[in-house]
Amino acid sequence: MKVLLYVSFDEQRVAEAVALELKQRYSGCQLYCWTYRDFVEGAYLRRKGGLFEEVYCDSKLYGEAGEVYEKGELDYEQVKSLERKYGSPNLMSFVRNDRNLIMRRKGLIYRYGTRREPRELLTHAVVFLKRIDSILNQIRPDIVIHVGWDCGPASAFYLNRVAEVRSIPILVPVHTKIGARVTLSSCVKNRLAHIESLMDPAGRKLTDEMIESAEEMLSAFRKKAIKPAFYERFLQEEAEARLFKTRLGKLVNGPRRYVEGLGRYVANRHWRDPLFYSMLWRRYDSLRIKMRRFLLSTFRGSFEKPKPNEKYYYFPMHLEPELSLLLYAPNFCNQLTVIEQIAMNLPADCVLYVKEHKVAMGHRTLGYLKKLSAIPNVRLIDPDYNSRDLILGSEAVVVITGTVAFEAVLLGRPAVTIGAVSYTHLRAHETSLHL
């Protein structure tokens, strides 16, 4: 049996564990691996001698695409041929899922827009499809297994499409965010539909015990007696991270990590990797983000508190770049434009409350937040203000995608989603605004 493991961002240790388990269970199993970055996941798994027959990575494809573009070797007849074979509906549909192509990146910080011309974007799509097709033709895997709880970087969409055309089965583990449940999907793009099919009670016979248990859980949620399991896990991880980042931890581990990183940088020539950014650049970006957070938390002139008796719709902002936007709402990634359109179409006696995502604090520029607050009919609400209270006091919650609308439905408030979500069957939910 031949298995191709697709390894997501920073999931190299999980990939190693899965590979060892497969080797133990299936004698003679041949394992191949596809990773995101050559200098992290790829370098780690190559050091596990004999575990994988071959390790492929996105980094080399980005480099190869850059060389092909510079030589001007893009053949438009080849583009049309690939679109007929793999297009869904065309090659640009693959490009729009790739944050490295459609956004400008400097280290840890991304910005809207790209300076790449259409020919360069198409070149990347052609190179990825041709190389993945060649690799699958060479190794002929019996199955592709995603490692981690997400579909992975943009190459996942290329790989999924080529495997689909070749009738190669795919397994994608998906964290449902419903309790601690994990499910398996057969496609990176149908994950939400699969989760919804599991959640939708239509066509299922619910016992009195199941209904009673659900009503008790909903009642406890509305009384703040319980929180979603994924939220509890987030708080636990945050507490563990704070514990690790004590002064003693920084004193002991900081210099060691820098020396190890410098050694890998020199030994593996990481500067040649298109996805590599240096420790100094990463530290510089981290300081910029911390400075912005400090300014925003100290001088809160950009933010407002909710006004008593004011009618409003609530829009919680998303992290960027994020899978939920790039995959499930690719036509609505520019939140500035989306917010402006929503604000312009609200009833005359209502305003739009916009709240920045706490994790995204500092990642967006101060100028970006000023543009938001300058939109007529928009109030930029303090990020520390309780989101639950904003939901309960709103006329409705509007999101592109995300779980805040799901929480609103559970609390009995109307919710509007613009992108694809896994709870469209629930009452009080709409997929478009009717104002």
Side-chain angles (χ1 to χ4, degrees):
M1 181 173 69
K2 294 182 178 180
V3 178
L4 174 61
L5 296 183
Y6 184 85
V7 185
S8 298
F9 186 86
D10 275 343
E11 298 285 4
Q12 61 271 20
R13 289 176 177 81
V14 180
E16 181 187 6
V18 171
L20 291 171
E21 183 69 20
L22 288 171
K23 286 279 190 181
Q24 183 179 351
R25 291 197 177 203
Y26 305 101
S27 60
C29 178
Q30 293 182 324
L31 299 178
Y32 299 83
C33 187
W34 191 292
T35 68
Y36 177 47
R37 299 167 297 180
D38 189 46
F39 68 96
V40 180
E41 300 88 11
Y44 178 88
L45 294 172
R46 283 194 186 92
R47 293 197 297 268
K48 308 302 173 181
L51 191 57
F52 296 99
E53 305 290 327
E54 188 65 61
V55 176
Y56 308 98
C57 64
D58 285 9
S59 297
K60 293 183 178 180
L61 294 190
Y62 280 110
E64 184 180 336
E67 293 174 3
V68 172
Y69 169 70
E70 289 176 1
K71 294 177 181 178
E73 297 178 350
L74 179 64
D75 182 354
Y76 282 98
E77 290 301 318
Q78 191 176 61
V79 171
K80 293 179 182 178
S81 175
L82 287 170
E83 284 186 337
R84 286 192 295 268
K85 188 174 183 180
Y86 298 119
S88 55
N90 52 46
L91 298 193
M92 290 303 286
S93 63
F94 293 102
V95 172
R96 68 182 184 178
N97 294 128
D98 192 338
R99 67 185 67 181
N100 293 308
L101 297 181
I102 64 170
M103 300 183 78
R104 287 171 290 163
R105 177 186 180 185
K106 286 187 177 180
L108 301 175
I109 299 176
Y110 290 81
R111 290 186 178 180
Y112 286 126
T114 178
R115 294 189 176 95
R116 302 175 190 266
E117 62 177 11
R119 189 168 63 88
E120 184 177 0
L121 299 176
L122 283 174
T123 299
H124 277 80
V126 168
V127 168
F128 268 78
L129 283 172
K130 285 180 62 180
R131 183 61 64 197
I132 290 173
D133 183 75
S134 173
I135 290 171
L136 292 189
N137 188 54
Q138 175 187 343
I139 66 180
R140 298 185 181 277
D142 296 295
I143 190 171
V144 176
I145 301 177
H146 284 240
V147 175
W149 306 118
D150 223 329
C151 70
S155 57
F157 307 109
Y158 297 102
L159 178 61
N160 184 90
R161 182 60 181 146
V162 176
E164 183 182 27
V165 171
R166 290 174 167 270
S167 299
I168 300 172
I170 297 178
L171 283 181
V172 185
V174 183
H175 194 295
T176 65
K177 292 189 177 180
I178 307 301
R181 296 182 181 179
V182 174
T183 185
L184 291 176
S185 175
S186 60
C187 173
V188 296
K189 287 196 173 184
N190 73 353
R191 303 180 318 147
L192 296 185
H194 181 61
I195 294 173
E196 183 159 24
S197 68
L198 298 176
M199 291 173 56
D200 192 348
R204 295 173 56 193
K205 186 176 181 180
L206 300 178
T207 64
D208 293 339
E209 184 180 353
M210 293 169 65
I211 295 173
E212 183 180 352
S213 174
E215 289 176 346
E216 287 177 0
M217 183 175 293
L218 183 59
S219 175
F221 176 77
R222 290 178 174 177
K223 294 176 182 177
K224 300 185 181 181
I226 61 170
K227 293 184 175 69
F230 68 90
Y231 182 72
E232 294 284 6
R233 184 181 48 134
F234 169 76
L235 292 178
Q236 182 181 356
E237 289 174 355
E238 191 179 51
E240 290 173 355
R242 283 199 300 268
L243 182 64
F244 175 77
K245 292 179 180 179
T246 58
R247 292 183 179 180
L248 179 62
K250 288 182 179 180
L251 182 66
V252 173
N253 293 302
R256 175 181 61 81
R257 293 174 65 187
Y258 274 107
V259 171
E260 289 178 353
L262 183 61
R264 290 195 299 269
Y265 176 79
V266 174
N268 297 302
R269 301 182 179 182
H270 286 161
W271 59 85
R272 296 184 178 181
D273 192 323
L275 299 178
F276 175 77
Y277 50 94
S278 69
M279 292 181 294
L280 292 177
W281 191 269
R282 195 159 58 240
R283 177 55 61 185
Y284 171 67
D285 284 338
S286 179
L287 288 173
R288 289 174 66 193
I289 292 169
K290 288 179 180 178
M291 179 58 69
R292 287 176 186 169
R293 286 177 177 170
F294 171 76
L295 291 173
L296 289 171
S297 60
T298 306
F299 308 101
R300 292 185 173 267
S302 300
F303 303 117
E304 301 181 49
K305 296 286 186 182
K307 295 185 177 181
N309 303 320
E310 186 172 48
K311 295 174 68 175
Y312 66 89
Y313 285 70
Y314 173 40
F315 183 92
M317 294 189 71
H318 292 258
L319 281 170
E320 291 182 89
E322 189 182 36
L323 174 74
S324 61
L325 294 182
L326 293 173
L327 178 57
Y328 298 120
N331 297 321
F332 302 97
C333 287
N334 191 326
Q335 293 188 81
L336 193 64
T337 303
V338 172
I339 290 169
E340 188 174 22
Q341 291 299 314
I342 294 172
M344 289 172 59
N345 289 281
L346 291 180
D349 60 342
C350 292
V351 297
L352 184 65
Y353 281 9
V354 176
K355 188 162 89 84
E356 172 67 294
H357 197 294
K358 289 199 71 170
V359 179
M361 284 282 286
H363 285 263
R364 294 184 243 266
T365 65
L366 302 179
Y368 181 93
L369 296 178
K370 286 182 179 178
K371 287 181 182 179
L372 271 179
S373 58
I375 298 173
N377 218 29
V378 167
R379 299 197 192 286
L380 199 56
I381 300 301
D382 190 330
D384 289 331
Y385 198 85
N386 190 291
S387 182
R388 187 188 183 100
D389 293 339
L390 288 173
I391 293 171
L392 291 172
S394 68
E395 299 296 308
V397 173
V398 185
V399 301
I400 301 176
T401 62
T403 53
V404 175
F406 182 41
E407 184 177 356
V409 172
L410 294 180
L411 291 171
R413 301 304 302 152
V416 179
T417 58
I418 299 171
V421 297
S422 62
Y423 46 86
T424 56
H425 63 281
L426 297 177
R427 288 179 298 175
H429 171 270
E430 292 287 348
T431 55
S432 62
L433 280 170
H434 301 286
L435 302 174

